[in-house]
Amino acid sequence: MTHSYDETEGRGPDEPVVVRDRRRIDPQSGQVRQPAPESEQPAEEPAREPKHAAGPSLGESTVDDAVSVASDVEKELAERTADLQRLQAEYANYRKRVDRDREAVAQSAKASVVGDLLPLLDDLERAEQHGDLTGAFKAVADKLIGSLQRSGLESFGAEGEPFDPSVHEAVQHNTSPDVAGPTVTVVMRRGYRFGERVLRAALVAVTDHEPGAAPVDPPVGGELPLDGLDEQNQQ
């Protein structure tokens, strides 16, 4: 029994009904039908796409997993960047601290060497005061002193300076109305500093202010001063 194919099956109610007879034997003549050329065969209709895309079902998440993964990567990248910046700041502080400590050690070593040469500078100063620092000996002394000064050595302690207990060591004390306050009047040994470090305090004599004597009243009407009367009574 030949099955007739009805193309109306599977079609919607709005689509037109097309009936094609695909039987190979003609029922009226009983002859075998020749297949139609490919050009005369109807082209298959393309599949129609749905007008509206189906949305997510109830309870289904609408968050894209790719967006979540990208957010996690950005968060991790921000954390690694913060860690790297923190490490860079710590390393910069470490370098500064190391450089500062190295400079302090170098300055301390220089100050120690210069401190050992202070007695030599005292001898050169005494020789100059006595007039013995002349000729080639004076030239060598000037080069030595100049080299030490360029390295950072500085002398202090001169007559007329205000007395400063942080850099002056007072070994004598006098009073005089000629000074307004504690003043260095005699320098017995010069002081030295290297940079901001005091290598040796200066030995000085200090003169402090002394109010002047009370003025004597002039004689009135030929009277003698009281001091004069006392002298006469004693005689």
Side-chain angles (χ1 to χ4, degrees):
M1 179 177 178
T2 305
H3 175 73
S4 62
Y5 177 74
D6 188 1
E7 294 187 358
T8 61
E9 296 179 359
R11 294 182 178 272
D14 298 336
E15 297 180 1
V17 178
V18 179
V19 179
R20 295 186 178 88
D21 188 2
R22 297 180 179 273
R23 289 178 293 182
R24 298 184 62 185
I25 299 175
D26 189 353
Q28 296 180 1
S29 62
Q31 297 180 357
V32 179
R33 295 178 176 176
Q34 297 296 329
E38 293 182 358
S39 59
E40 297 180 0
Q41 293 182 358
E44 295 183 359
E45 297 181 359
R48 297 183 179 181
E49 296 181 356
K51 295 181 180 180
H52 301 284
S57 61
L58 182 62
E60 183 179 356
S61 176
T62 59
V63 179
D64 192 356
D65 294 339
V67 176
S68 178
V69 173
S71 300
D72 294 340
V73 172
E74 291 177 356
K75 182 178 179 181
E76 185 175 358
L77 178 61
E79 293 177 355
R80 296 295 180 269
T81 303
D83 293 340
L84 180 59
Q85 292 176 350
R86 183 168 55 254
L87 290 175
Q88 289 178 345
E90 292 177 357
Y91 179 71
N93 294 332
Y94 169 75
R95 287 291 304 270
K96 292 179 180 179
R97 185 169 60 254
V98 169
D99 294 340
R100 184 170 59 252
D101 294 343
R102 184 184 295 111
E103 182 66 19
V105 170
Q107 288 294 109
S108 179
K110 291 180 181 180
S112 178
V113 174
V114 173
D116 294 338
L117 295 177
L118 295 184
L120 176 60
L121 297 180
D122 294 337
D123 294 339
L124 294 176
E125 185 176 2
R126 283 191 291 268
E128 185 177 8
Q129 291 175 355
H130 290 83
D132 297 333
L133 191 64
T134 58
F137 185 39
K138 184 178 185 306
V140 174
D142 292 341
K143 290 181 180 180
L144 175 61
I145 295 174
S147 177
L148 294 176
Q149 290 177 347
R150 287 191 297 271
S151 298
L153 182 64
E154 180 183 358
S155 63
F156 60 87
E159 296 179 359
E161 290 181 351
F163 176 73
D164 185 359
S166 63
V167 295
H168 296 146
E169 182 179 353
V171 295
Q172 290 183 2
H173 183 266
N174 300 317
T175 57
S176 172
D178 298 334
V179 296
T183 305
V184 175
T185 53
V186 179
V187 179
M188 303 175 184
R189 189 185 66 184
R190 194 178 302 276
Y192 290 94
R193 66 168 58 92
F194 190 81
E196 298 181 355
R197 179 179 178 182
V198 177
L199 299 180
R200 187 180 70 183
L203 294 179
V204 297
V206 180
T207 301
D208 204 350
H209 175 69
E210 178 185 5
V216 178
D217 295 334
V220 178
E223 294 181 358
L224 295 175
L226 296 178
D227 293 342
L229 293 177
D230 294 339
E231 293 179 357
Q232 289 180 359
N233 293 332
Q234 292 177 0
Q235 293 177 357

